[in-house]
Amino acid sequence: MEDENKLSIYRAARTIKRRENTLYNALRSIHDDSVFVGEISQLWPELPLLANLRCGLWYSSKFHSTCYFKSTDGHTNNWSFNTSRLNLHVAHLAGQKGGCIIVDSTRKGKRFPDSMSKTIPIWTCVFNRAIVNHRSRMQDHDTLTEGVNSDNHESETSDQHVENTRQASHEWDASLHLPLWVSKTERASIEERLEGWTKELEASGADIASLASCLQKPLRPLWISQKTVIWLNEVPDHDSWDFTPIILVSASSSTGVIQHRTTSEFSWNYIPGAGDDEESWARGLSPDLFWNNVYDIINSGPDMCNQKVANMVEKDRVYRAQRGQDAPQVTLKPPKSLNSTSDPSYVEPVLSLDNLDIKNDIQFCDDDSTVFWLGTTNIAVGTALAAANTTCVDCVMNCDRDSFSACYLNNEAYLHLPIVNSKLDRFSLRNNLASAVNFAKLNLRKGKTLLVFCQNGEDISVCVCLAILTALFDDGRTFDDGKSFSETHITKWEMRRRLVFLCKFAIKARPSRGNLKQVYSFLSGGRPSSHTPSAPSTM
């Protein structure tokens, strides 16, 4: 009986929480927090605004770019510097613009997510240390050059250059900057690992030289939340600091308690970090679709919000389908409550398409159509929409489940590999990589350009390109028809070096761990199943 009471209390608490975390409460909370984000971005309007995926993407309609710093890399006793997520474009952008602003949020009642408290501070410190090491190596090289220089005038010039380099390296702040709430014990544990992480970065093949020339001042994080006191008449210019600021903005209030708020029209419950875990509440709504129709959604009120969003999501789906874009049907689970769906008072909402005006009702969203060329390899990676809008490539590899119409290509210049996510099929990517590499080899040896795409251009297509780069290119990223691959045993570290090179150009790449495992299995000759194709032929 006691266990039943505990279960009933637990179910009741879950039900109350679910009722508080409604779609309108989440979207209204995001909208309120976005005002704060906008105010902070206006304090330094010259600095680009970046969203830390995926939660941060909900909190503004005006992001310059995105980044991907995971909170798990900053969890206590799980600290990590992941060379698969170097975010090199963030460091370069900060160097070019004099800094940047990164937006994220958390539901856990903390002022900042661990991505901001520890992951990004570790990232800035490791990059700064690598730059100091690079400058020291350049200094040693210049000293060596000075020793063999016989011209007195040139020797004096070299002396001055060496001295300047030595002074700059000495002044470059490579210390670890953490917020005050991180304990001394945790700081000490992180500092013990910094040297190893720096060596990993240097061995990864990342272009530290270009980063060192781009950054005029060391990277350093600053933290701003809704509790931060800022005197508007004393806001410093970002150029006045002796470092390149990475301003970390935690968008939500950190009370950790759901607050009841009201206006003259509606009342709602404020949810801190409402943008987190969007699959559990967004009902198919995307950040872009939300911001394109924000006032209609917010003004619909709590009672009509679900139906309003359902209409918008379905219209957007039809709009995408008409243009050949990915348009999966959004299915929603009926709400769980103390009353089952057999209760006669429960009515499942039904959306009719008869009254949908696809043309006029809402502002639609198109997928990103950017194509990322991978250096001088003649390979590009992109989205399905990018493939539909690009006619300047010689051949196309479609790694999406759906077929693709490319009337400007003949059959020999098009390959469709219906690869699905590793969560649906653990061997789907692995089983198609031999065909992908052989198709790429056939075309690249003729000097043709190749576009590899999947629906979002972030995962499957990136992993296919990684396999091609590793199997058909040497360490200098020069096409060698697989010669170096046939003579080398590929390690995980070598594959990661290729991934670092790829991510330098494809800045939106986010390959999943499951797919990366399949790529390594293929390249190392592993056989996860009896029907799996062999590794690519290099003849």
Side-chain angles (χ1 to χ4, degrees), residues 397-400 417-437 452 454 459-468 495 511-523 528 532-534:
M397 189 186 301
N398 175 9
C399 302
D400 197 23
L417 301 173
I419 303 172
V420 298
N421 189 280
S422 60
K423 292 182 180 179
L424 302 176
D425 184 343
R426 291 189 298 128
F427 306 128
S428 178
L429 174 62
R430 169 70 169 84
N431 291 339
N432 283 280
L433 284 178
S435 299
V437 171
V452 181
C454 62
D459 186 5
I460 293 175
S461 58
V462 168
C463 288
V464 171
C465 286
L466 176 61
I468 294 171
M495 192 182 83
S512 64
R513 185 177 181 183
N515 283 337
L516 287 175
K517 283 184 175 181
Q518 293 183 68
V519 174
Y520 178 70
S521 173
F522 168 75
L523 294 171
T532 300
S534 60

Side-chain angles (χ1 to χ4, degrees), residues 109 162 300:
V162 170
S300 66

Side-chain angles (χ1 to χ4, degrees), residues 138-213:
M138 293 300 100
Q139 172 189 322
D140 294 341
H141 177 269
D142 290 341
T143 303
L144 201 63
T145 303
E146 174 200 357
V148 297
N149 198 330
S150 58
D151 188 307
N152 291 335
H153 174 70
E154 290 185 2
S155 181
E156 291 176 5
T157 304
S158 180
D159 285 343
Q160 183 62 41
H161 176 69
V162 170
E163 181 60 31
N164 290 341
T165 303
R166 183 182 294 111
Q167 183 177 356
S169 297
H170 178 72
E171 294 176 352
W172 194 271
D173 182 8
S175 57
L176 177 65
H177 293 275
L178 292 171
L180 296 176
W181 55 86
V182 176
S183 68
K184 293 182 179 179
T185 302
E186 191 168 7
R187 169 188 286 273
S189 297
I190 293 173
E191 287 177 333
E192 289 175 358
R193 294 164 169 81
L194 290 174
E195 183 62 28
W197 290 333
T198 304
K199 291 179 179 178
E200 288 182 15
L201 173 61
E202 292 170 339
S204 71
D207 191 355
I208 303 300
S210 67
L211 188 60
S213 62

Side-chain angles (χ1 to χ4, degrees), residues 293-319:
N293 303 276
V294 59
Y295 296 112
D296 284 346
I297 293 174
I298 296 301
N299 293 333
S300 66
D303 295 334
M304 297 301 297
C305 180
N306 284 13
Q307 186 65 33
K308 188 79 171 179
V309 168
N311 287 342
M312 288 182 176
V313 169
E314 181 59 19
K315 291 176 186 179
D316 188 62
R317 188 190 71 81
V318 174
Y319 174 83

Side-chain angles (χ1 to χ4, degrees), residues 56-215:
L57 201 56
W58 285 94
Y59 288 94
S60 178
S61 60
K62 300 177 180 179
F63 285 113
H64 180 277
S65 184
T66 61
C67 55
Y68 189 40
F69 295 98
K70 292 191 70 172
S71 286
T72 52
D73 292 337
H75 286 176
T76 302
N77 296 323
N78 192 45
W79 313 285
S80 174
F81 179 83
N82 198 315
T83 53
S84 296
R85 295 184 288 272
L86 282 182
N87 290 285
L88 272 171
H89 68 288
V90 179
H92 279 283
L93 188 62
Q96 294 164 6
K97 302 294 185 179
C100 66
I101 303 172
I102 299 177
V103 177
D104 202 352
S105 186
T106 181
R107 282 184 179 232
K108 299 186 178 182
K110 299 183 291 188
R111 288 181 66 184
F112 293 86
D114 284 343
S115 61
M116 291 184 162
S117 294
K118 284 163 281 188
T119 305
I120 296 178
I122 288 171
W123 175 82
T124 58
C125 180
V126 171
F127 270 57
N128 285 334
R129 290 169 67 98
I131 290 173
V132 168
N133 291 346
H134 170 77
R135 291 187 170 186
S136 296
R137 287 191 294 270
M138 293 300 100
Q139 172 189 322
D140 294 341
H141 177 269
D142 290 341
T143 303
L144 201 63
T145 303
E146 174 200 357
V148 297
N149 198 330
S150 58
D151 188 307
N152 291 335
H153 174 70
E154 290 185 2
S155 181
E156 291 176 5
T157 304
S158 180
D159 285 343
Q160 183 62 41
H161 176 69
V162 170
E163 181 60 31
N164 290 341
T165 303
R166 183 182 294 111
Q167 183 177 356
S169 297
H170 178 72
E171 294 176 352
W172 194 271
D173 182 8
S175 57
L176 177 65
H177 293 275
L178 292 171
L180 296 176
W181 55 86
V182 176
S183 68
K184 293 182 179 179
T185 302
E186 191 168 7
R187 169 188 286 273
S189 297
I190 293 173
E191 287 177 333
E192 289 175 358
R193 294 164 169 81
L194 290 174
E195 183 62 28
W197 290 333
T198 304
K199 291 179 179 178
E200 288 182 15
L201 173 61
E202 292 170 339
S204 71
D207 191 355
I208 303 300
S210 67
L211 188 60
S213 62
C214 177
L215 282 168

